[in-house]
Each structure stands twice: as C-alpha cells, then as structure tokens.
Amino acid sequence: MASHNELGKLGEELAVAFLQQNQYEILETNWTFQKAEVDVIAQKENILAIIEVKTRTSIDFGLPQDFVKPKKIQLLVKAVNEYVISNDLVLEVRFDIIAIHKKNNEFVLEHIENAFYYF
C-alpha cells in the first residue's frame, strides 16, 4: 500500500475513534455511490453527520480542510442524497470535516462541524 494510502487509512481510524469517544454511532465507513466515496457516515441524536477526513503529514502546503474541493462536495451531496433516500432516513444532515495533521510527531485532530452547506 502506498504511504499516502496508509496515512489516509490511519487518519480515518483516528477520526472514527474520536467520533465514538464523542457519542457518535458509526453507520458506515468508506461508503460508495457511483464516483463518490463517503469516508464516515455517523449519527448523533437526530443528526446524520457526513464526515470527510483529510490527513496531512504537515501543513506546509495548506490546512487539510483546504483540500476538500467543490467537485468533492458535489459528489458527497449526491451520494448522501441517495443514502438518505435508500435508507428512508428522516434526520438532519450535516457535512463535517475532520482535519488531521502531524505536529511534533503527534497527530492533531480538528472536527469542523457544518464545514459546508448544500443546496
């Protein structure tokens, strides 16, 4: 496995552990629909949290959350719409980013709720 894939997998594992510690129920990881992959789908109370995980070894080239591009957002919205319909869910949908970067040989995690909106 390429090192960037290993870093991404580690980031997703850290994100899932963080969410579970904060009382989120993990419904799906790496859920795919057409060309979209949703890193984590989780639920906390009446909120369906759609979580994009971005992990970087440093922030020299920008913050991890800066790498969630409009095309990715568009794909996520389409996929989540399908997920909600096919699972007959009646929940508030929220798009979050968990941004992770390495600092002094440790990973720093930031959970950004309502990171972007859809129309």
Side-chain angles (χ1 to χ4, degrees):
M1 183 181 292
S3 63
H4 71 276
N5 289 342
E6 290 174 11
L7 180 66
K9 184 170 172 38
L10 174 62
E12 289 176 7
E13 290 169 0
L14 292 170
V16 164
F18 169 84
L19 291 165
Q20 289 173 325
Q21 289 169 359
N22 286 280
Q23 287 72 51
Y24 285 83
E25 177 187 356
I26 305 302
L27 303 178
E28 305 277 352
T29 57
N30 304 113
W31 186 81
T32 57
F33 174 72
Q34 294 179 352
K35 295 180 181 180
E37 180 179 337
V38 181
D39 292 334
V40 181
I41 300 175
Q43 183 176 345
K44 185 172 184 179
E45 299 166 2
N46 69 331
I47 295 171
L48 185 69
I50 309 307
I51 298 143
E52 177 68 10
V53 181
K54 287 294 180 189
T55 309
R56 296 289 181 263
T57 53
S58 77
I59 56 173
D60 293 345
F61 298 104
L63 297 171
Q65 59 267 34
D66 295 340
F67 292 88
V68 180
K69 303 297 182 192
K71 181 68 174 171
K72 177 66 175 185
I73 292 170
Q74 185 180 28
L75 289 171
L76 284 174
V77 169
K78 187 175 181 182
V80 171
N81 187 50
E82 176 62 28
Y83 185 84
V84 168
I85 290 169
S86 63
N87 288 287
D88 197 28
L89 299 176
V90 182
L91 297 168
E92 178 184 338
V93 176
R94 188 180 76 205
F95 291 89
D96 297 357
I97 296 173
I98 292 186
I100 303 170
H101 69 274
K102 211 169 193 181
K103 182 177 182 180
N104 300 328
N105 292 324
E106 290 189 20
F107 285 100
V108 177
L109 185 147
E110 180 182 4
H111 183 194
I112 305 162
E113 295 181 1
N114 288 311
F116 54 88
Y117 297 93
Y118 62 99
F119 299 94

